[in-house]
Amino acid sequence: VSQSRYSGVIQATGGAATGTPVGLAIYAIPSGEYGWVQTKGAGACLSDGSTFAVGSLLSNSVTTAGCVGVFVAGTARCLIGHAMRASATGKTIPVQLLLD
């Protein structure tokens, strides 16, 4: 029996990717605890300050832990969804998630 892809999930660091994004948590889940992770549909993500427009493809941020930024094809970042609103530094924006 293989382990669930949701077992041992950690927050994206903003640096080198250590795994594949699996979803968005609505709060920081303490180590060893259970939490809820959203994978599809409209979700709320914190913008890292990248400039993007409605419909822009997004990935986990390369600069800020737990945030989203512009997806760049050919990089080690994973597509997580698209922006439903233009970027706003340090603001939560709606994102259509495409993770599962």
Side-chain angles (χ1 to χ4, degrees):
V1 177
S2 63
Q3 191 174 38
S4 168
R5 67 185 258 178
Y6 302 103
S7 177
V9 171
I10 61 170
Q11 176 178 299
T13 64
T18 57
T20 303
V22 296
L24 302 176
I26 58 173
Y27 62 91
I29 303 168
S31 179
E33 298 292 327
Y34 293 96
W36 180 82
V37 178
Q38 182 178 351
T39 61
K40 282 193 173 194
C45 296
L46 187 60
S47 168
D48 71 355
S50 301
T51 300
F52 52 84
V54 173
S56 294
L57 297 177
L58 302 175
S59 69
N60 49 310
S61 175
V62 297
T63 59
T64 310
C67 292
V68 295
V70 176
F71 173 75
V72 179
T75 66
R77 298 292 167 193
C78 295
L79 175 66
I80 64 163
H82 60 83
M84 297 171 68
R85 191 175 85 194
S87 66
T89 303
K91 300 290 183 182
T92 302
I93 60 163
V95 173
Q96 184 66 34
L97 300 172
L98 307 168
L99 288 166
D100 195 30

